[in-house]
Structures are given as structure tokens and as C-alpha cells.
């Protein structure tokens, strides 16, 4: 048993931390979401530098220009990115599309899609959810019909994050309407400029801009099919496992928690430091415990991956705990802040640039990567063997 | 024992609900968020006509002689509609303070104006280092001839930008006194704060603001008396507003759960959803009862400090629960700005913090229970 | 709106409180369950005195020797019994069997069964649950077959509380195995001395003694059928509504809470009063709120009944809140007590005669009158109209 | 990084589980509850033979040179089996104290005896007005010639009735010192307390108990040093025992949920049941990780006060959750004495309180975080 990194890994951690500290000063950090064009561009520029340093794809197999390190280094990278509050960009490409193309793509697809991702030049959005297919993703209605060497796409996708930044949309479409629910679905990569694709802006409450996406007889080349036809559901599930630790999310919350603890030690209210309030002390200690549990659960996933094991329930355990924990932290912090919790990023009076109010909104994201209910189902059914 | 509203109160509630459903849909709420005023003067006028703005004032001051119970019932509807307006600060907090502490001239002059919606008064109490209950007030009022000269900065002052008067809590010789400051007086500087739900609260910087002695409400150094009573009253009203909002969130998730189908079934048939709804129902029912009990005791002139503390503490936790349940069940769509759930969530932050949050009231309650500090 | 009792009701409350204070001194109070023979006999003797005073059946209709008061007085009575910690006896008879006989019994049955109940002379146990029918009571397998003017009973009943005190068992049996689930069930009252009925002791963790009950060709007269044949399920559900406020349970917990608060104000630990611990203060304030909510939810049920309304979801709301609240209180109190929470009724060192440890065990009764899950279902489906 | 047990540790765990499943079924646990001794001398002997009783002692004292990680792994199995025995107090708490604080003679004399199971030592620390951490100790030890004379009363002393020695924390001149008291010494009065799970803990009244100076463990007035280290060690072991018990409860409810049919379906297919199981799994996984992390840091000689506090605080909450989930899912049958769930619930109370409950450790943690008291 060993809870520590190797010397080499520690060196990597220290290098990336130093790099990010220098390159991402506080005014450029994303306290929670990525709100502005400037934030986005800045985030991309950082990723390009990370790519130049060989770090961006450190968890990728060497044959695709990655590595040559494994899941532990990938996790160190993610944790550092989160703790450094680097504005998030390119994550769908790096964590989802890249691995899918590696595992299921043709040589041509690999050559076309992977290098731009690895150089932080390509941005992808994801077209999985639909208006009538949320947690029940298998019931999707979006159609892709083969017509010669093209596929004709029709339907609508919800929650297309990054739609207005992306060059590509990575999507699931029903290709065999007669097959059982999960067996008639295929994966595609579509250029967002394809005629027939349009986006309706769908701003999120965390300040970032997503879209609802409409496909009206949008024709894409059949060469954009990723993997086997009608096996898309299974491909998508398999590549979910690539970056499952959730360390980036954890670390960004940990950073805000650490800042908040510091704030409580230095801020007086009604003549007393916030940290002198025994209730605040007790609650923050409790949250510290929950945060540490979160960190450990994430690292357990990373460690399992490093041994070649496929975490499944374990990733849901980490995700579920994190979602609950983040909400508890932000609700508690809002209470400790009192009236200051009603301020957003007020130039004069906000504490921590409104980070607590912001992360409180972010914590309303109780459904990311499947709702918390779905994660509970995964844990119970796959992890504990309960009947469906 | 009668734990229900009277027929007349039920009628008032129904009428208010119908009125607000017609006049204050969430589209209006969104418009008002983006407006400078943060409330609809047109709607404000109608509210005055309905008698809402002087609901609890005596008839002699243009009021409707309503009780706190009536007011809670009305604020359940206001909370349900998440109506943005200065009604709580102007007619309840300031109105009640003037009623409890003002002299006959002040009451006769101001209450009818408030009641008619012609005058808006807002309470300037909180400061940078002190919560709503004041702690040590740093804004100073110094006697100078027949005037007082006021200096210092107030924070979180709602609707100061549209208020005709600021009811300002200031330190005088030995303790706190209350002053009505005409908001157009020289030296009053009002800056909008960047707040959730674009709530119109402000920094109010007071620089050598000169106020005639006759604008003092209540006796010198004794402002805390009437203010405390008004805060008690308003806290119960605030609870009513929270209950109304939580009930609305419950209604919304229940309606959605009946029609949203996933895995071939309405999601309301899944225990995980169903149980969250059931638990929220428990919280809302409880919050409503404890709120009305506090209102009833205050109306009856019984000791009710414990009850008020319990009501606000529990309403706060019901409010957090409603937010979590709403966002959990609506899931993805509730994370979008265009969905209404965020409107209720954003306001939860203001209402939970306003007039003391759960922990503040639990701490008070601990004191009432006889625990040493 | 009026949260207060009438003068007359207050007088009644004060009378019954004084009576119980005098008649049930602390050494006779049931801190949680009824453990000993002596406790039981004492409880019965009190009930007989209450019957003599005309209070025991104060909520019964006058035609059956009750009242002449209504649900409010019944609730005052229940609350006083709980707060006075009167050892509970005869509750099945008074709250369940009595009303069922009143509503559905024949004149002969009323004459036979009601007077002994009203005089606190009859004790009943209840035979509803079965080994394979817990929360899903409608699936019961226990059979009653008509044979001439007798019914032959076969099967087993679980959780027969009071089995060893009772003269009668009030039970549900399947009389038409071919009818739909809830439609082939009938209600009976069986004398426990009937040949073929036997009891296996089934001690509860709260110290009281129940039984698993076996019926082996037990023959009872068909005149013991209560109400219509095959309508027993509906009769049973209808008579559940008689005493639904749950005030007795609430009040007994409130009493322990009040005692505990007093203890915290007077007991030093590590040189400080327990009440000086700010975390204890905070938690106890929170529990006080939850207890008050419980009281109000119970009284709402009572008040609804007094207006002629039939509380349904409301009773489940009160019950569910109470179950959660009791557990929270006892877990919190155990934490505040530290090592003292490991003591039962130790003659020398226990605080509050081990009441907190005892009520902690009692609070493991997370399933009484249907599991908490069932109450949530009732609230959601009957109260909120959610689909089944 | 390696968050798993080593192959050898896995083997130890498996062997321990198999051994305890065979030797310590819950029928034995029930028998031992009702026995006077509260443990099985026969099983105790076998545990000694397996090397469990000197698991973490150096080989030179008859131990197995195991680490704290090995011991946590073993105690997961002991917790799972809810094995009643004095192993925690004798070999862990007292054994480690002697190891940290004893002189060579004491170690050479006692540790092999403890390790072989021939001698049982128990810690007499808590008092009526002071928790396990002592606060102000009132039991006094006064020097008298070559002896000390000890007076006062200890409470909650586990297995005192079968202990050969009491390791007693007593006030000497300036601070606390540790004394090994032969339990047969005149003036030692041991009274069984009426405890949950019939746990064998005692009042130990000491009346002019005379102990030779050579029985002092560690230096005069410096007993807290070795004791504190042993308590840290034992707290992590206690967490391991809790994790094992919670895992067992989870396993039991999962197994039951698969086979118990209600409404025509196994109850595990109902979301309400399924989600409670999932949430408990999260808690148990988390408690295990944070416990092993504390163990690992202690083994590595790194600062670990925070980690120990976090482990016990979280294990305590996982334990409360396991109890509630177990009783909630087993429902009615778990309320009967004959069902095993109550055995786990009853022990949860002892294990949660032992060596500081969640609130105690959260308070410590607050201090480590730099919050003022």
C-alpha cells in the first residue's frame, strides 16, 4: 500500500503546478465556469502550451503522440488543471472523442482527427442528450439514414455545451430503428458547418453558453461513422472510461474550499473572525473530511486504471460523492457568508470574487454525466449486483 | 383550534394568486431582472389599489387593518409568483417600524403615502462588517443644531435607488437611533451591487448627510425598540414568502414528474423522484405550519421569539431542500437560464439570507432555550 | 386561525396531566417500551382509572359509551399519555379494533367486544403482517376457509406485539384466493386460546415481547367475521384513520428531548456543562425545531379530523417526519453523551435511566405502521397525485 | 501509488475471514453476550496461535512485526465478525503504549505474554466527568516510599474483570503517569456496567491501591506521550473495525435485497432500496480509503493527526448510516432480537463512542486547520 506518487511523478506534478501558477494568474483563473470569449481564448492558449510541453496528452498511448505515461500522470494533470482553475477547453475532444477514435477509428480517421486534438487546435461538442432522452439516453430518437456514401441526419440534440466554439459535433444517432433500444445506435463526427445544422443558444446558469442543436437533412460523409455501425452505444460506454477519475472537478472545488477556509480565517464579521464561530468551524471541518474522501475516491479510480482494471461502479461512487459534497460545501459556505452570499462578482464588495455564489450555481449541476440517480443505479446494479 | 385560513383569508389568497398569475408571470420577472428599476411601477400601482401596500396598517393611515396572518397569506402568493418589488422593505419593514416607533405626525404623513404606493421607504441597516441584525453599527449620526449629520456606509440596502426615503439605523450618543433620510439629500450616494437574480440592493454611502431632527423615528438612542418589533414581524412575512416559493417549486416538480417520461414511464413513478417529492412536501407543510403559528402568536400578543426563530430556521432549510429537489428532478433543463427553476433558486439565496439565516436563528433559539453562549 | 385549545379543552388537558403526574410517578414511567410484567400491569391499572374518569374513550362516539368529545380531546388525551410516559397497553383495542367494530360490527359484536375494551379489560394483538407480507400486506397468504358456521384458519403471522398479553387476535385472512389481491381478504377476531393457535416468542430490541403466531386448523366461529366477507382490506384501511395524529409517539419523544435538554444544562463533562458546547447547543436547537414541526404536523391531522376531513397524506407526512426526526434526535443525543451513550439502565452511572440509549433502539423502528418508504409513497401518490 | 493491499495482506484478510466465519458465527457472539467473560478463551487461544495478539509487536517480543496496515486489515475482519474480545484494549491500546513507553524489562516481560494471550491488559483511562481523552484526570497516584498509592474511580474500562493488569492513567505530581496495576491488588474493585451489547466494561474503583514504582510505564508525569501515540494507533485500528462492520451490514442488506420479494419484485429493484445501498457503498468505500491512508501515513512516520481525525469522524458517520440503512431495509425483522442486524447496531454505539466520536474528532480537526478555539 502506498498513498504517494513516485519521485518522477512528484516531479511532474511540481512542474505542471509551477507552470500553471506562472501561466494562469488569479485574474485569468476560471472561478467556476468559462464565461467570456477572453476566458476561452486564454484557456486554449494554455492548452497549446501544455501540448508543446508534451503534457496535454500525457495519458494517451504513445502511438498517438501521447504519453508515454499512464493514468496516474493523466490524473496528476487533471488535478493540477482543476486546482489551477485553468479555464476548461477541449475536454470533450481530449477525454471522449480522442479515446473513441483511438479505439474504434480507422487509420484515416485517426490521422484526420487525433493530431488537431493533441495540439489543442480542435474543439468538439457532444451530441448525446436529446429533449426526450436525458437520463434514458438509450431511447434517443435522432436519426441517421444511409444514402449512398452519405448519412442524412435529422433530429435535435440538447445541452450541446461548447456548440459555439466547436468545429465538430460528436454524436449518437439511431441507425437501425427496428433493432432493440441500445443496438441500433451509431457514433458519428459531424462538421458543425454542415448545411442543415443549426444552433439555438441555450445559456447555462453558470454563465457558459451551450445550445440546442437542430439537424435538418444534414448530410455527412459515411466516413464520419466511428466504429461499427449500430454498435455506437457500446463504443460510447467503453470510451467513457478513459478519464473517469473526476479529479479536475474535485480539485477545482478543493481550491475554492481552501480559499474559503483562508477567507474565514482572515475576515471579520460582527467583530469576530468567521473562523471563531464554532458552528462554522465544525461545519468546515466536516466539509474538509468530505473533500478528502472525494479526493481519495477519485484517486482510487485513477489507481485502478493504472493497474489495468476498469473502474465502473467506482467512478460512479466518486462522482456521486462529489456531487453531493459540492452541494453541501456550497450551501454551507453560503450560510457562513450570510448576506455576502447574495453578491455575484461585485467589483467592490464580493468576497473571493463571488466564487462561492458562483460555485453554488455550478453545484446545481446535479445531473452531469448522468443524473445522480443514474450513478446510484450503476453503483447498486453493477457494483453491488442488485437486480434491475 | 383552527389551523386553516378563514374563508376571507382563503378568498384573499385565491384572488392574489389569480391576480399574480395574470399580472406577474415569470416572463415579467425576467424582464424586471433586466430593468433598471427592478420592479414594475404599473404593477405596484395595482398592488396599491388592491390594498396590499397598506395591508397591515390601521384604516386611519390608509391601511386595510389586516393582521400578520393576512400578510403571511398574501406573501405566500407573492413568494409563489417570485414578484420583484420593494413591498417587503417598504410596507413591511419600514412601515411597521414607523407604525411601532413613529410619532403621530410621521405616521399620518408617511403611512398613507406608503399605502398608496406613492412613497417607497427602504431600510438601511446592514453594514460591511455587520449582518442585518446590526452588531455594532458604525454609521454615525451627530447632532448639529436642529439637525443630525450622518456619515458612514450601509450595504445590502434593497431598492435604495427607487426609494424616496431611507430609514437609516445610525449610532447616536449611546446607542442606535432611526432616521428618515430623504434619498435626494446631498451626500447620499447609492451604488447598485452586483447581486444574484439581479436583485436591486445597494451600497449607500452617506457623507455629511444632514437630516432634520424631526426625521428621527422613535426616541433618541431607542431605535432598536420599534425596529426589533418590525424585524420580528417582517421575519414571519419573509417566511411566508419562502413557503410560497417552496410550494411553487414542489408544484412544478410534481407536474413535471407526471408528464416527463423516461424509460417508458413518467419519472414520478420512480421511487427516487417520488420520495424526493414526498420529503419536500413534509418540509413545506412543516414550514407553513410553524410560520403561521409564529404569526398567530404575534397577533395574539403572546411571546413568540422562539417561534419566529424556529420558523425562519426551518423555512431556510425547506428552501435549501426545495432548491436541491427542483434542480435534481428537472436535472439538465434546470441548468439552463431559460428554464424557470433557476429563478426560484436564485431568489432562495436572497430569502434565506434576509433577516437572518437558519444558523443565526438557531443560535438565537439556543439562547431562548437557556443555553449559555 | 387559532393554534390554541378552548378553555374547556385546556381544562381537560390540565385535568388529565395532573391525573397522570400524580398517578404515574417517574419510577413507573415507560422510558420507551413496556418491558416488564409489572410495567404492563401498572399501565392497565392506569387505563382502568382513566376509564372510570370517562377519559379512556373520550374520542369514541357517545353511543358506544365514549366521548362526548371529538378528535381534539382524543389528541389531548394521546399527547398527555405520551408525555406522561404511561406504559402503553390496550392500544390496538382502543385505536383499531374498537373503531372497526363500531363501524362494521353487528349489534351482537358491538355488545360483546366494545364494553371490555372501553373498560380497559380486553387486550388485543394484531395479526396483519406475515413472513412474506410486510410492506406488501396485500399479498398475504394466511387462509380462512369457511366450514359450516366456522372458519378454519391456517398460516402464520409475524410481529404479533402483545401476543402474550392479549385475549384476542384481530387478523386479516384471505377468504377468496381467486379474487384480486386486495379483494379476497376478510377481518376476524379470534380468541387466542382457540386450539391450533400457538405463539413463538419474538422479543423486540426495545425490550418488549412479541410473537410469531401459528394457526394450525384453528377453528373460530364465523360470527367472528368483522364486516363484510372479502371486504376486510378496505375495512382495515378505513379504520386506520381513527387515531392517526401520532401525538402519543411524538409526545413521548418530546418528553425525552425535554429531559435531555435539562440534562445538558446541568451535567458537566470535562469540566464544562454539556450545554456550553456550542455544537451541542446548535444541534439541540435544530432538533427543537424539528420536534415542534412534528408536533404541528400531528396536530394538523387531529384538527383535520375535528373538521370532519379525512387526513390521509397528512397523517403520513406527520409519521414520516416523526420517524426521521426521532432518529436524528437520538443519534445526536448519543453523540453528545459520548461514552455514556454505551450504557443501558445502569443503576449507578446511567444518565436519565438509560433513556437515550433506549430511545435510540426504539428509533430503529423505522418501519412501524408501514415502512417509511410506504409513507413516502402515500404522500407522493395520494397527496401529490404522482403516478404509481 | 498502490491503494490496494499487498498479496500477503490479502491472504491474511482472506484467512482471517475464513477463520472467523468458521469460529465466530453470530451464534457465538450471542453466547458470549450472555457469558460472564464476554469473550471465548478458546478462541482467544487460537487467535494467539494465529499471531493476532502480537501482530504489530516486534519479533523479539514474540510479535509478528506487522504494520498498522496489517492490523487494520485484520480488524476489518474482526469488525465484520463483530468478534467480542479484549484484543483492542489489550494488544493494541495497552500493547502499543507499553511498546512506546515501557522500559526494556517491561517490554520483555509483558509483550510476549500479551502476544501469547496469557496476559490481558486493559486501559483504565476514562472517568465519570472526563471522556476517553482524559480532560482532567482525578485518579491520584501518590508516591510513598518505593511505591505509589492510587485512589479514585475509572469508568468504561473494558474487560477489566478478566484483565491481569490495568494500565491506569493517574495524576502524579504535575501531570499524568501510567501505572500497571495487578488487578488482584487489594483495593481494586471492579463492577460491571450495564452496557449495550452486554459489552463488558466496568467501573474500577481504586482505594489505596499500592503499586511498586517499577510498575510505572514511561517517565513520571510523562504518561501522555506514549499513551497519545498508542491512542492514535488504536484509533486507526478502531476505524478498521468499523469499516469491516459497515461492509458486513452492506453485504447483508444487499444479499437480502436480492431475495426478499415484495410487490412481486425483489426489493433491491426498488430505487428507494437500491439508492440506500449505493449511498452506503459510497460511505464504506470512503471510510476504508481514509482509514488506510491514516494507517499508511502513520507507518511512514508522516504527520497524520489530521488524517486520524478525518478517519474517525468519517467512520463514525458511515457507521450511523449503516445502522439506519440496515434497519430501514430489513425493517420489521431487524427490530427483533433474533435477527442479527441488532448485533451490528448495538456495537455501532460502542465503536462510534470509543476513542472519540465524530464531533470530538471534527473539533480536533478544526484545530489542526488553524481555527481558533
Amino acid at each position: 500500500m502506498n498513498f504517494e506518487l513516485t519521485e518522477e511523478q512528484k516531479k511532474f506534478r511540481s512542474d505542471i503546478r509551477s507552470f500553471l501558477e506562472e501561466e494562469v494568474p488569479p485574474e485569468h483563473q476560471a472561478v467556476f465556469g468559462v464565461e467570456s470569449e477572453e476566458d476561452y481564448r486564454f484557456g486554449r492558449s494554455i492548452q497549446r502550451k501544455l501540448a508543446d510541453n508534451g503534457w496535454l496528452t500525457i495519458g494517451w498511448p504513445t502511438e498517438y503522440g501521447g504519453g508515454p505515461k499512464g493514468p496516474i500522470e493523466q490524473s496528476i494533470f487533471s488535478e493540477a488543471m482543476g486546482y489551477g482553475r485553468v479555464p476548461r477547453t477541449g475536454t470533450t475532444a481530449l477525454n471522449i472523442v480522442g479515446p473513441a477514435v483511438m479505439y474504434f477509428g480507422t487509420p484515416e480517421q485517426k490521422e484526420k482527427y487525433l493530431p488537431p486534438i493533441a495540439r489543442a487546435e480542435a474543439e468538439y461538442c457532444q451530441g448525446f442528450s436529446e429533449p426526450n432522452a436525458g437520463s434514458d439516453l438509450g431511447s434517443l430518437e435522432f436519426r441517421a439514414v444511409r444514402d449512398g456514401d452519405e448519412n442524412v441526419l435529422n433530429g435535435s440534440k440538447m445541452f450541446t455545451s461548447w456548440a459555439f466554439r466547436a468545429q465538430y459535433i460528436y454524436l449518437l444517432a439511431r441507425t437501425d430503428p427496428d433493432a432493440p433500444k441500445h443496438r441500433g445506435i451509431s457514433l458519428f463526427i459531424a462538421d458543425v458547418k454542415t448545411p442543415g445544422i443549426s444552433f439555438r443558444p441555450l445559456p447555462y446558469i453558470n454563465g457558459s453558453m451551450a445550445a440546442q442543436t437542430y439537424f435538418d437533412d444534414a448530410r455527412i460523409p459515411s466516413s464520419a461513422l466511428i466504429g461499427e455501425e449500430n454498435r455506437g452505444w457500446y463504443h460510447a460506454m467503453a470510451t467513457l472510461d478513459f478519464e473517469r477519475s473526476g479529479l479536475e472537478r474535485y480539485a477545482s472545488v478543493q481550491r475554492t474550499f481552501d480559499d474559503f477556509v483562508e477567507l474565514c480565517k482572515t475576515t471579520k464579521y460582527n467583530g469576530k473572525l468567521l473562523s471563531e464561530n464554532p458552528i462554522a468551524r465544525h461545519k468546515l471541518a466536516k466539509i474538509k473530511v468530505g473533500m478528502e474522501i472525494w479526493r481519495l475516491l477519485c484517486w482510487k479510480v485513477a489507481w485502478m486504471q493504472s493497474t489495468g482494471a476498469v473502474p465502473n461502479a467506482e467512478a460512479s461512487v466518486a462522482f456521486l460523492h462529489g456531487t453531493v459534497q459540492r452541494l453541501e460545501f456550497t450551501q454551507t459556505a453560503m450560510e457562513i457568508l450570510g448576506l455576502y452570499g447574495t453578491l455575484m462578482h461585485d467589483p467592490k464588495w464580493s468576497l473571493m470574487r463571488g466564487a462561492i455564489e458562483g460555485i453554488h450555481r455550478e453545484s446545481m449541476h446535479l445531473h452531469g454525466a448522468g443524473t445522480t440517480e443514474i450513478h446510484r443505479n450503476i453503483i447498486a446494479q453493477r457494483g453491488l449486483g442488485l437486480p434491475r | 383550534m383552527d389551523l386553516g385560513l378563514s374563508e376571507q383569508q382563503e378568498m384573499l389568497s385565491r384572488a392574489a394568486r389569480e391576480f399574480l398569475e395574470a399580472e406577474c408571470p415569470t416572463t415579467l420577472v425576467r424582464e424586471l431582472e433586466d430593468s433598471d428599476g427592478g420592479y414594475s411601477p404599473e404593477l405596484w400601482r395595482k398592488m396599491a389599489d388592491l390594498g396590499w401596500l397598506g395591508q397591515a396598517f390601521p384604516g386611519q393611515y390608509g391601511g386595510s387593518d389586516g393582521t400578520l396572518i393576512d400578510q403571511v397569506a398574501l406573501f405566500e402568493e407573492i413568494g409563489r409568483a417570485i414578484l420583484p418589488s420593494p413591498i417587503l422593505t417598504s410596507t413591511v419593514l419600514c412601515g411597521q417600524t414607523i407604525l411601532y416607533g413613529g410619532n403621530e405626525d410621521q405616521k399620518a404623513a408617511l403611512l398613507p403615502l406608503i399605502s398608496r404606493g406613492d412613497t417607497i421607504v427602504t431600510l438601511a441597516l446592514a453594514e460591511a462588517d455587520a449582518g442585518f441584525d446590526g452588531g455594532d453599527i458604525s454609521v454615525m449620526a451627530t447632532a448639529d443644531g436642529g439637525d443630525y449629520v450622518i456619515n458612514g456606509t450601509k450595504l445590502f440596502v434593497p431598492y435604495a435607488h427607487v426609494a424616496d426615503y431611507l430609514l437609516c439605523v445610525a449610532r447616536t450618543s449611546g446607542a442606535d437611533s432611526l432616521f428618515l433620510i430623504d434619498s435626494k439629500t446631498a451626500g447620499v450616494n447609492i451604488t447598485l451591487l452586483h447581486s444574484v437574480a439581479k436583485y436591486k440592493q445597494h451600497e449607500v454611502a452617506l457623507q455629511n448627510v444632514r437630516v432634520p431632527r424631526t426625521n428621527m423615528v422613535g426616541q433618541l438612542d431607542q431605535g432598536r425598540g420599534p425596529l426589533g418589533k418590525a424585524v420580528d414581524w417582517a421575519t414571519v412575512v419573509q417566511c411566508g414568502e419562502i413557503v410560497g416559493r417552496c410550494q411553487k417549486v414542489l408544484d412544478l416538480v410534481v407536474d413535471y414528474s407526471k408528464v416527463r417520461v423516461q424509460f417508458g414511464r413518467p419519472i414520478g413513478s420512480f421511487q427516487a423522484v417520488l420520495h424526493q417529492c414526498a420529503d419536500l412536501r413534509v418540509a413545506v407543510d412543516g414550514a407553513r405550519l410553524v410560520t403561521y403559528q409564529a404569526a398567530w402568536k404575534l397577533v395574539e400578543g403572546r411571546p413568540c421569539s422562539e417561534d419566529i426563530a424556529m420558523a425562519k430556521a426551518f423555512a431556510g432549510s425547506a428552501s435549501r431542500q426545495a432548491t436541491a429537489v427542483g434542480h435534481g428532478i428537472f436535472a439538465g433543463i434546470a441548468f439552463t437560464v431559460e428554464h424557470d427553476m433557476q429563478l426560484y433558486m436564485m431568489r432562495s439565496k436572497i430569502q434565506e439570507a434576509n433577516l437572518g439565516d437558519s444558523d443565526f436563528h438557531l443560535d438565537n433559539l439556543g439562547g431562548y432555550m437557556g443555553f449559555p453562549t
Side-chain angles (χ1 to χ4, degrees), chain A residues 50-68:
Chain A
L50 290 163
D52 291 345
N53 288 359
W55 293 339
L56 188 65
T57 53
I58 190 134
W60 282 22
T62 36
E63 51 191 306
Y64 306 117

Side-chain angles (χ1 to χ4, degrees), chain B residues 304-310 313 358-373:
Chain B
C304 58
S305 303
E306 279 198 7
D307 299 273
I308 294 170
M310 289 195 286
S358 290
D359 281 351
F360 172 86
H361 285 284
L362 288 178
D363 190 49
N364 281 352
L365 183 59
Y368 304 141
M369 289 168 76
F371 288 101
T373 8

Side-chain angles (χ1 to χ4, degrees), chain B residues 60-130:
Chain B
Q60 68 193 101
Y61 305 122
S64 315
D65 286 311
T67 69
L68 176 53
I69 297 171
D70 302 320
Q71 199 150 43
V72 170
L74 174 62
F75 269 78
E76 272 204 71
E77 299 308 322
I78 286 174
R80 186 175 180 87
I82 47 172
L83 165 73
S85 89
I87 185 171
L88 184 63
T89 190
S90 185
T91 76
V92 183
L93 264 173
C94 294
Q96 289 295 327
T97 305
I98 293 165
L99 202 53
Y100 283 124
N103 57 37
E104 198 46 47
D105 287 353
Q106 290 167 334
K107 289 194 271 190
L110 272 170
L111 297 180
L113 290 171
I114 293 175
S115 184
R116 286 205 303 271
D118 291 341
T119 289
I120 291 173
V121 191
T122 190
L123 183 67
L125 169 55
E127 300 182 2
D129 291 337

Side-chain angles (χ1 to χ4, degrees), chain A residues 131-132 134-136 159 200 203-205 269-270 283 334-335 340 342 344 346 348-349 357 360-361 365 367, chain B residues 128-131 156 193-196 201 203 260 262-263 272 332-333 335-338 346 349 357 359:
Chain A
N132 294 317
S135 48
D136 180 18
F159 308 125
R200 182 177 72 82
Y204 283 159
I205 61 173
Y269 202 57
N270 285 335
K283 290 185 173 181
M334 291 285 285
E335 277 193 281
Y340 283 90
T342 65
M344 298 177 91
D346 186 77
K348 182 167 175 189
W349 291 107
E357 188 283 327
H360 180 264
R361 268 181 284 141
H365 206 284
H367 59 285
Chain B
D129 291 337
F156 306 111
L193 301 173
H194 187 198
S195 301
V196 296
Q201 55 182 356
E203 175 199 299
R260 168 78 172 172
Q262 292 279 276
F263 303 102
I333 52 164
F335 206 68
T336 67
V337 172
E338 68 183 33
M346 290 294 204
K349 305 190 199 194
D357 63 14
D359 281 351

Side-chain angles (χ1 to χ4, degrees), chain A residues 38-48 86-89:
Chain A
E38 191 200 343
D39 289 342
Y40 179 77
R41 289 208 185 137
F42 178 77
R44 283 266 90 174
S45 75
I46 295 297
Q47 287 214 325
R48 269 180 226 116
V86 184
R88 299 185 84 211
T89 74

Side-chain angles (χ1 to χ4, degrees), chain A residues 20-315:
Chain A
L20 291 175
E21 253 168 53
E22 195 158 311
E23 296 282 339
V24 190
E27 66 273 19
H28 275 300
Q29 290 170 10
V31 175
F32 48 101
V34 173
E35 298 195 29
S36 70
E37 177 68 25
E38 191 200 343
D39 289 342
Y40 179 77
R41 289 208 185 137
F42 178 77
R44 283 266 90 174
S45 75
I46 295 297
Q47 287 214 325
R48 269 180 226 116
K49 289 184 191 174
L50 290 163
D52 291 345
N53 288 359
W55 293 339
L56 188 65
T57 53
I58 190 134
W60 282 22
T62 36
E63 51 191 306
Y64 306 117
K69 303 302 182 182
I72 300 290
E73 286 75 11
Q74 174 66 45
S75 300
I76 291 169
F77 175 80
S78 298
E79 194 173 32
M81 293 289 280
Y83 203 79
R85 293 200 285 225
V86 184
R88 299 185 84 211
T89 74
T91 45
T92 303
L94 282 163
N95 295 331
I96 300 173
V97 182
V101 172
M102 282 175 223
Y103 296 142
F104 305 112
T106 62
E108 295 73 26
Q109 287 173 334
K110 289 176 186 171
E111 198 169 326
K112 175 173 181 187
Y113 296 119
L114 293 180
I117 293 177
R119 289 195 307 266
E121 285 165 3
E123 186 70 80
Y124 283 70
C125 55
Q126 181 176 289
F128 281 15
S129 304
E130 298 178 10
N132 294 317
S135 48
D136 180 18
L137 202 52
S139 71
L140 58 86
E141 295 159 0
F142 187 99
R143 292 294 316 278
V145 178
R146 187 71 176 258
D147 181 26
D149 56 358
E150 290 186 327
N151 278 76
V152 185
L153 308 186
N154 276 292
S156 170
K157 291 290 180 182
M158 271 306 268
F159 308 125
T160 322
S161 305
W162 308 110
F164 297 101
R165 315 275 183 201
Q167 290 97 52
Y168 297 105
I169 178 165
Y170 172 71
L171 60 86
L172 284 171
R174 191 163 296 283
T175 38
D176 181 354
D178 302 323
K181 217 168 160 186
H182 297 98
R183 302 204 175 176
I185 295 174
S186 303
L187 266 176
F188 295 94
I189 291 177
D191 190 313
V192 299
K193 298 224 174 58
T194 308
I197 300 182
S198 60
F199 298 104
R200 182 177 72 82
L202 192 67
Y204 283 159
I205 61 173
N206 67 352
S208 63
M209 177 60 79
Q212 180 168 4
T213 310
Y214 299 93
F215 291 72
D216 182 16
D217 283 336
R219 289 177 169 268
I220 60 170
S222 300
S223 60
L225 170 76
I226 305 295
E228 257 183 85
E229 195 168 26
N230 295 329
R231 295 283 302 162
W233 173 267
Y234 302 95
H235 295 343
M237 291 300 111
T239 43
L240 267 189
D241 290 332
F242 179 69
E243 211 302 78
R244 301 209 65 189
S245 76
L247 274 161
E248 186 167 352
R249 189 173 76 131
Y250 149 74
S252 71
V253 179
Q254 180 71 47
R255 171 64 170 269
T256 305
F257 175 68
D258 290 348
D259 289 357
F260 185 69
V261 168
E262 199 49 41
L263 179 90
C264 289
K265 288 184 193 169
T266 52
T267 305
K268 284 197 172 185
Y269 202 57
N270 285 335
K272 282 174 72 174
L273 288 172
L274 291 173
S275 59
E276 285 178 89
N277 175 344
I279 306 308
R281 172 195 169 110
H282 182 81
K283 290 185 173 181
L284 290 173
K286 199 162 165 227
I287 287 165
K288 183 181 168 72
V289 176
M291 292 301 300
E292 180 66 7
I293 299 292
W294 190 4
R295 191 182 72 79
L296 288 165
L297 292 172
C298 290
W299 273 105
K300 186 175 175 195
V301 174
W303 166 71
M304 284 180 72
Q305 293 189 305
S306 78
T307 67
V310 177
N312 192 320
E314 290 78 7

